[in-house]
Amino acid sequence: MNRSKLLGLFLLSLALAGAQSLTPSHHLSLSDVGRLQHLLSRPFTDLQSAYYSVVGLTKLGAAVPDQKEVCQFLKSQLNPTSIDSLFFAAETSKAISGCEIPVSNETRDILLAAVSEDSSMAQIYRAVGALSSLGLPLASQEVVVALTARINKEENVMGIILALQTASYLSQQAELGRILEEIEDLTARLDDLGGIYLQFEEGLEATALFVTAAYALSDHVDIEPPLKEDQVIQLVNSIFSKKSWDSLAEAFSVASAAAALSNNRFHIPVIVSALGPATVSHNQPTLQLLVTDVMSQALTSAKVLVESAYAVASKSNVLSQTPFTLNDGVFELNFMASKPASGYYQFTVAVTGDSRLVANHVELKVKVSTEVAVTNMDLSVVDKDQSIGTKTTRVAYPSKAKSSFTADSHQNFAMSFQLLDVKTEQELTPHQTFVRLHNQKTGQEVVFVAEPDSKNLYKFELDTAERKSEFDSMSGTYSLYLIVGDATLENPILWNVADVVLKFVDEEAPAAVQPKTLYIPKPEIQHLFREPEKKPPTVVSNTFTALILSPFLLLLILWFKLGANISNFSFSPSTILFHLGHAAMLGLLYIYWTHLNMFQTLKYLAIIGGVTFLAGNRMLAQKAVKRIAAEQSSRLAKYRSLR
Amino acid sequence: MSNSVLSVISRFLEEYSGTTPTKLKVVDAYLLYILLTGALQFLYCLLVGTFPFNSFLSGFISCVGSFILAVCLRIQINPQNKGDFLSISPERAFADFLFASTVLHLVVMNFIG
């Protein structure tokens, strides 16, 4: 039992999700259709333009002007040996009444010869079109063979679209199944843009011609095209999103698509829109809807009904399964008859009556607006310790209180009122209920919000002492205004209720208040650069330098006194090299201090140090040998003397 | 009291000049020189301030480092300590002293700024 309930709920949610399908966001409004017609009505100078203009206008359902002149033009411009020329002339002549293009046997032969595998798809299409429009006999099976062969050779989108168009001219007994499959293949090649648009990367013309061809062929063989509802709507969005057309060919393709989508056997997209703003009020109690096809032609045979309507704020259901009445091409519903409270309502509208209708469930947001009345406006000055009884003055809208109210720092100024819907006498809570105090002398204004209590009675209290900072402690006469506004109110209120004299305790700024000076130049910042550290005077530094060098003198004197000498200096090469190397190292250290960096110094030091080390090693070894020899000889002498 | 201090000092000086070999006295003179230089640098810093602090540090550390290396040299070439340094001949001690001094002075020159 539980399982089946869950399953039912799941299926219902799926169905509801499906019901939230796409609705068209673009279509051809009446002005768009007018512009398209205007573009197609331009004077033409060659047969191709004539074809686009005349056939395009016919598709839009407009009358072709000067049909006799058009016919003359066709006959004069016709080139009986050119397939294209024959096609344009033939198709155009079919669109206007009473125009016959003369045909000869050569013409027929030329056209029949074009129907072969070797001609391009465009040539086959135009030949078949010409043959069909001129009423000449046609071998459908041969055409099918030629088309199938060309489809395999020409994979491009335009070619296949032309094949579809050609097939719609052929006899219904021919085997068109293979060609019919191409509709599905082409649908797969459409690009989905954001789930809203579906179009070929070749552009608008290709998409529009595809729609025309697909529906033409589907109608011809009476098999529903494999296009899902959402895909149809996405195609509608793509084709009708462009409102100004670059070329006659593009305009013609859009006109053809519009005609195909408003009059075929399978899918008719429905456009539902409100006439004017979707607002109802007591003055205008009817909600008016326009239900049209993509070319803004009214679908008068449809039945429109509200499936459900619920208030957005309270989610309560107001209407269910209520039909609209058709009145002069517009569908009307008297919504105010069900006495809705003011606010926003979400309508789900269904258009029925024809099984071909697509996107026939539409969500619409309707606003119910009303008029507000301010009642029971009571003003009073209350003492803070509430020892003195309050004296309330009632003021009626729109008059002003006769006397002004005075409040100093020991008193509060209080205001209470009610906001009612004029017609239903119900309390309202609009979005904006402000109390504005405007100082007449200084131009200062302070705005407060009046809040409703649980019984929807609005109260406002001004504590003079507490709020003095907002008034900048400026005493004086303030005009009190009540401001009431809301999106659903038709009569916003700005009411000068009374004058209030406020007395603040300490008057800090007797002068007129300056507007906040935000945009004047600010005081300049003086940047303090980092001061160099205080150095001692040069005399001191020099003295100490001399002082520090003095122990060196002392050292030299001491060494002299001790008798240190260099009498043992042996002039062997290693000694000289060692001393030179050592001196070079000391010199390098000085140069390092003045010029070099560590890496260079290490490099040079390695070289000089290596040389010095080897030389020094040699020198010290020699010295050691000498020392050991001296020690040995002295030991020998001692040993000898002891003996 | 000062009498005994004075007598101790004069006795010490007598012993020193008598028993110490000349080589060591030379090194001692060098030590005294380094000591005085370091003390004077410190005095300057106390009096005037540490303005180029890195220079003061490098100078002072140069004195301290050189003093330590010279002390090591003195210990190693003292013939009375021969038993402790059997593998290190005086020439080797001197070579070590030179090498360590080079490294010390390289670092000092880097830091002097």
Side-chain angles (χ1 to χ4, degrees):
Chain A
M1 179 54 191
N2 247 354
R3 269 252 196 100
S4 60
K5 243 194 190 171
L6 276 174
L7 187 65
L9 213 64
F10 180 61
L11 286 175
L12 179 68
S13 61
L14 271 185
L16 278 176
Q20 286 276 10
S21 54
L22 207 54
T23 48
S25 43
H26 301 283
H27 66 281
L28 287 179
S29 66
L30 286 171
S31 58
D32 294 332
V33 173
R35 237 171 321 116
L36 195 54
Q37 278 181 5
H38 185 74
L39 181 57
L40 291 171
S41 307
R42 291 224 197 106
F44 39 78
T45 49
D46 62 357
L47 272 181
Q48 187 172 30
S49 317
Y51 164 67
Y52 284 140
S53 298
V54 173
V55 179
L57 282 173
T58 328
K59 291 212 191 229
L60 288 178
V64 180
D66 304 325
Q67 294 194 359
K68 277 216 171 356
E69 286 183 24
V70 175
C71 197
Q72 287 286 52
F73 179 78
L74 294 177
K75 288 185 189 157
S76 65
Q77 293 278 326
L78 175 64
N79 174 3
T81 52
S82 149
I83 300 175
D84 293 340
S85 176
L86 284 165
F87 170 72
F88 293 134
E91 288 279 334
T92 318
S93 69
K94 218 168 93 165
I96 54 184
S97 57
C99 191
E100 286 268 348
I101 304 286
V103 194
S104 65
N105 278 347
E106 285 101 23
T107 321
R108 193 192 57 190
D109 291 338
I110 292 172
L111 289 173
L112 285 171
V115 180
S116 82
E117 284 180 25
D118 306 315
S119 327
S120 73
M121 190 69 87
Q123 280 185 315
I124 302 178
Y125 164 62
R126 291 194 175 160
V128 171
L131 284 167
S132 163
S133 306
L134 292 171
L136 296 170
L138 188 54
S140 295
Q141 202 50 41
E142 275 181 38
V143 179
V144 173
V145 167
L147 283 179
T148 323
R150 283 317 296 183
I151 288 175
N152 291 335
K153 281 195 207 152
E154 284 181 45
E155 287 274 309
N156 61 335
V157 164
M158 276 312 292
I160 303 180
I161 291 174
L162 290 176
L164 293 174
Q165 287 274 35
T166 320
S168 60
Y169 287 117
L170 303 176
S171 140
Q172 286 167 335
Q173 275 76 41
E175 286 173 22
L176 301 171
R178 170 76 177 84
I179 301 175
L180 206 58
E181 283 170 12
E182 294 299 326
I183 299 182
E184 203 168 343
D185 286 349
L186 279 182
T187 317
R189 283 162 85 161
L190 287 161
D191 295 327
D192 187 327
L193 300 178
I196 301 184
Y197 299 101
L198 203 60
Q199 59 196 46
F200 283 116
E201 64 179 14
E202 282 83 357
L204 171 63
E205 208 179 319
T207 318
L209 287 176
F210 163 66
V211 167
T212 319
Y215 282 106
L217 185 56
S218 304
D219 279 356
H220 189 64
V221 299
D222 206 12
I223 296 178
E224 190 177 345
L227 290 168
K228 298 202 241 337
E229 276 198 24
D230 280 354
Q231 287 178 316
V232 176
I233 301 302
Q234 285 178 308
L235 284 166
V236 165
N237 288 341
S238 298
I239 296 172
F240 302 118
S241 60
K242 192 170 179 191
K243 302 294 190 182
S244 76
W245 304 278
D246 302 325
S247 63
L248 208 54
E250 205 176 53
F252 171 73
S253 65
V254 171
S256 311
L261 285 168
S262 29
N263 191 9
N264 66 70
R265 285 199 212 153
F266 304 102
H267 303 137
I268 307 277
V270 172
I271 313 285
V272 178
S273 56
L275 187 66
T279 310
V280 292
S281 63
H282 285 288
N283 306 336
Q284 209 181 358
T286 49
L287 179 66
Q288 295 177 315
L289 290 184
L290 277 178
V291 178
T292 65
D293 59 15
V294 290
M295 284 205 311
S296 298
Q297 291 171 324
L299 295 175
T300 48
S301 60
K303 289 190 232 324
V304 184
L305 87 130
V306 181
E307 281 189 347
S308 72
Y310 64 89
V312 171
S314 60
K315 304 255 190 290
S316 58
N317 226 327
V318 181
L319 287 182
S320 180
Q321 306 292 333
T322 317
F324 278 72
T325 49
L326 178 61
N327 184 1
D328 197 19
V330 177
F331 287 90
E332 289 186 347
L333 174 71
N334 188 341
F335 188 35
M336 290 308 280
S338 30
K339 299 211 187 315
S342 68
Y344 286 94
Y345 291 84
Q346 190 78 355
F347 274 52
T348 311
V349 177
V351 182
T352 52
D354 193 334
S355 57
R356 297 174 300 172
L357 296 178
V358 170
N360 51 347
H361 292 266
V362 182
E363 299 267 327
L364 211 59
K365 202 164 191 178
V366 178
K367 180 168 83 166
V368 176
S369 53
T370 182
E371 290 186 20
V372 71
V374 185
T375 58
N376 303 343
M377 169 66 86
D378 292 328
L379 303 169
S380 55
V381 177
V382 184
D383 237 35
K384 276 211 187 135
D385 49 9
Q386 291 182 342
S387 57
I388 306 175
T390 66
K391 182 176 62 113
T392 36
T393 314
R394 173 151 295 194
V395 190
Y397 177 73
S399 49
K400 189 168 155 174
K402 291 191 192 53
S403 57
S404 62
F405 296 82
T406 312
D408 62 18
S409 54
H410 304 294
Q411 295 162 323
N412 288 349
F413 174 77
M415 189 164 96
S416 78
F417 56 94
Q418 265 192 316
L419 295 172
L420 299 179
D421 186 332
V422 165
K423 293 288 171 358
T424 65
E425 306 283 318
Q426 277 205 316
E427 289 122 11
L428 289 179
T429 49
H431 289 158
Q432 299 173 325
T433 47
F434 300 136
V435 177
R436 174 177 170 247
L437 288 148
H438 177 77
N439 189 326
Q440 289 152 347
K441 256 198 305 198
T442 64
Q444 210 187 349
E445 83 176 9
V446 186
V447 183
F448 299 98
V449 179
E451 307 241 337
D453 63 9
S454 53
K455 290 203 263 316
N456 284 338
L457 178 71
Y458 278 86
K459 279 196 172 40
F460 167 66
E461 246 191 47
L462 178 62
D463 186 340
T464 323
E466 207 181 308
R467 298 278 186 194
K468 69 169 189 226
S469 59
E470 296 181 12
F471 288 90
D472 283 340
S473 299
M474 289 286 298
S475 306
T477 313
Y478 287 82
S479 312
L480 185 97
Y481 290 87
L482 176 70
I483 302 174
V484 177
D486 191 275
T488 57
L489 287 184
E490 298 207 322
N491 60 335
I493 291 178
L494 174 65
W495 177 22
N496 187 356
V497 184
D499 285 331
V500 182
V501 179
L502 294 175
K503 286 200 179 54
F504 294 103
V505 178
D506 31 287
E507 284 212 29
E508 288 159 359
V513 175
Q514 285 148 351
K516 289 219 163 61
T517 49
L518 280 175
Y519 300 107
I520 58 166
K522 295 243 179 359
E524 200 174 322
I525 303 172
Q526 296 292 348
H527 180 74
L528 279 173
F529 285 101
R530 200 176 128 220
E531 309 241 347
E533 293 231 14
K534 273 190 64 182
K535 279 197 281 214
T538 327
V539 181
V540 178
S541 309
N542 288 348
T543 318
F544 268 94
T545 313
L547 215 60
I548 283 185
L549 289 175
S550 58
F552 187 63
L553 275 166
L554 179 68
L555 176 71
L556 288 175
I557 294 170
L558 278 174
W559 274 355
F560 181 68
K561 272 190 86 183
L562 286 170
N565 51 30
I566 51 169
S567 55
N568 249 351
F569 193 80
S570 56
F571 281 92
S572 60
S574 49
T575 319
I576 297 173
L577 200 60
F578 167 74
H579 280 101
L580 280 176
H582 193 222
M585 282 207 299
L586 293 174
L588 178 68
L589 280 184
Y590 174 74
I591 295 173
Y592 170 43
W593 183 38
T594 49
H595 297 296
L596 302 173
N597 63 32
M598 183 59 108
F599 299 106
Q600 293 164 311
T601 315
L602 283 178
K603 191 169 62 176
Y604 294 133
L605 197 65
I607 301 167
I608 301 174
V611 169
T612 314
F613 171 72
L614 290 170
N617 201 14
R618 198 78 177 294
M619 179 193 79
L620 286 172
Q622 286 170 350
K623 267 216 146 55
V625 164
K626 263 198 227 156
R627 177 177 55 86
I628 289 170
E631 272 176 16
Q632 270 193 336
S633 64
S634 73
R635 222 184 296 141
L636 208 58
K638 227 197 247 173
Y639 176 62
R640 278 224 192 97
S641 67
L642 277 173
R643 282 257 301 283
Chain B
M1 233 284 280
S2 57
N3 222 2
S4 55
V5 174
L6 272 173
S7 63
V8 167
I9 290 175
S10 60
R11 179 91 173 98
F12 166 73
L13 282 176
E14 264 180 49
E15 280 263 359
Y16 174 75
S17 45
T19 49
T20 331
T22 321
K23 243 196 310 192
L24 293 183
K25 281 200 197 150
V26 166
V27 179
D28 285 339
Y30 177 70
L31 283 174
L32 180 68
Y33 152 66
I34 294 284
L35 185 75
L36 283 177
T37 313
L40 281 172
Q41 282 188 344
F42 193 67
L43 182 69
Y44 172 84
C45 181
L46 281 180
L47 285 181
V48 184
T50 64
F51 166 49
F53 194 54
N54 57 316
S55 309
F56 161 68
L57 275 183
S58 78
F60 194 68
I61 285 175
S62 163
C63 292
V64 170
S66 299
F67 189 85
I68 292 168
L69 289 174
V71 166
C72 291
L73 179 68
R74 191 186 190 282
I75 292 173
Q76 284 178 342
I77 62 175
N78 197 348
Q80 289 174 333
N81 293 339
K82 213 161 169 184
D84 296 325
F85 298 106
L86 279 173
S87 61
I88 303 178
S89 63
E91 286 76 26
R92 170 72 196 278
F94 183 66
D96 283 344
F97 169 75
L98 276 184
F99 175 69
S101 284
T102 311
V103 173
L104 174 71
H105 282 94
L106 185 69
V107 172
V108 160
M109 292 311 261
N110 184 28
F111 202 51
I112 205 165

